[in-house]
Amino acid sequence: MSGKPAARQGDMTHADNFARSAVDIVGRDQIHNGSGDVLRNCYWTCRMTKSFGPFRAYLIGLNHEMAGNRATPPQPVKEAKMDMKNNSVGISCGLELKSCTELCVEKYNSGGLYGLGDDKLSPTTTLPDGIY
């Protein structure tokens, strides 16, 4: 055992709060499958990577998406793909020294996160630094 804590609900709560703060800027219609959603995935997986390492963060994210696929009705394939791509971005952010907030906002502002298609998201609103 590594001595690190088990996955906490608090990490997801922080991710939700971060995404909701961003949604106040980009618009309420962005919370599901929009900018708020992609930011939440990046941030949540970044925090897990910093806490548990990249492999465990990947497995937790994968398990989360697989649970959505087992739901009735299952989540659409394009949603799972979008989430997993943004989880990968979050893992790479988690390996850097900066905060997850700063890194995920940078990725969003530079078009480094993924939307519902296979393309990177082109943000319509730039998020300011330091309001989260």
Side-chain angles (χ1 to χ4, degrees):
M1 182 126 199
S2 69
K4 291 187 177 184
R8 298 168 293 191
Q9 181 65 34
D11 284 333
M12 192 60 171
T13 300
H14 285 286
D16 282 338
N17 290 340
F18 169 70
R20 289 181 195 287
S21 294
V23 163
D24 287 340
I25 296 166
V26 298
R28 290 266 164 226
D29 61 328
Q30 297 295 306
I31 197 72
H32 181 71
N33 292 332
S35 298
D37 201 350
V38 301
L39 284 160
R40 180 177 50 244
N41 278 289
C42 178
Y43 180 83
W44 180 51
T45 312
C46 179
R47 283 188 55 125
M48 288 191 300
T49 300
K50 287 184 182 293
S51 294
F52 314 122
F55 183 67
R56 286 184 178 156
Y58 169 78
L59 290 178
I60 293 168
L62 179 62
N63 185 57
H64 179 78
E65 295 310 317
M66 290 176 68
N69 295 341
R70 290 188 301 267
T72 305
Q75 73 175 330
V77 171
K78 63 183 180 178
E79 287 183 21
K81 282 178 67 175
M82 175 187 73
D83 291 347
M84 288 303 297
K85 284 182 177 184
N86 290 313
N87 287 353
S88 293
V89 175
I91 288 170
S92 68
C93 289
L95 298 173
E96 296 187 33
L97 294 176
K98 292 181 186 178
S99 74
C100 291
T101 300
E102 187 177 357
L103 290 162
C104 290
V105 167
E106 284 176 6
K107 290 292 185 185
Y108 173 81
N109 285 340
S110 67
L113 296 175
Y114 294 87
L116 276 176
D118 286 334
D119 298 325
K120 289 191 176 182
L121 189 68
S122 296
T124 56
T125 305
T126 300
L127 298 174
D129 295 329
I131 65 163
Y132 316 96

